Amino acid sequence: VSRVASLALVSCACGAVASAYGRTKERHPCVRSVCDAAEKGVKTLTAAAASGAQPLLTRLEPQISAANELACKGLDKLEEKLPILQQPPERVTS
């Protein structure tokens, strides 16, 4: 996940979405209230899920590691076949 997130195109897209989300919250107080409540709920659920899932993640660590290795190899091949993934977004759009 971190490798995909670090790709220039993905990172730029995430930044654009985050920026649009922030601007929307700033401009619309009603939307801000709903978003703030949703964010608080997500944070609470995430914390509960993380602590509850830890024993399962520990047991599944070898399988998760194997899946991560396969995903990384697939991403290596994808980056090899599509070098545009490594280009800055400005260059891709031009």
Side-chain angles (χ1 to χ4, degrees):
V1 171
S2 61
R3 275 191 61 198
V4 171
S6 70
L7 291 172
L9 290 173
V10 175
S11 178
C12 183
C14 289
V17 170
S19 178
Y21 177 75
R23 282 193 312 272
T24 301
K25 282 178 61 175
E26 287 174 11
R27 293 179 184 157
H28 304 283
C30 292
V31 173
R32 181 183 326 134
S33 298
V34 172
C35 290
D36 288 344
E39 289 170 16
K40 185 176 180 181
V42 168
K43 286 178 185 176
T44 302
L45 289 173
T46 301
S51 66
Q54 192 55 50
L56 179 62
L57 292 174
T58 301
R59 276 198 350 210
L60 293 176
E61 197 281 326
Q63 291 85 352
I64 293 170
S65 180
N68 182 58
E69 191 173 321
L70 270 171
C72 286
K73 286 180 183 178
L75 186 55
D76 288 341
K77 288 183 181 180
L78 189 62
E79 288 175 325
E80 183 181 307
K81 292 183 184 217
L82 297 171
I84 196 167
L85 293 174
Q86 298 296 336
Q87 300 299 317
E90 303 81 29
R91 186 167 179 196
V92 173
T93 56
S94 67

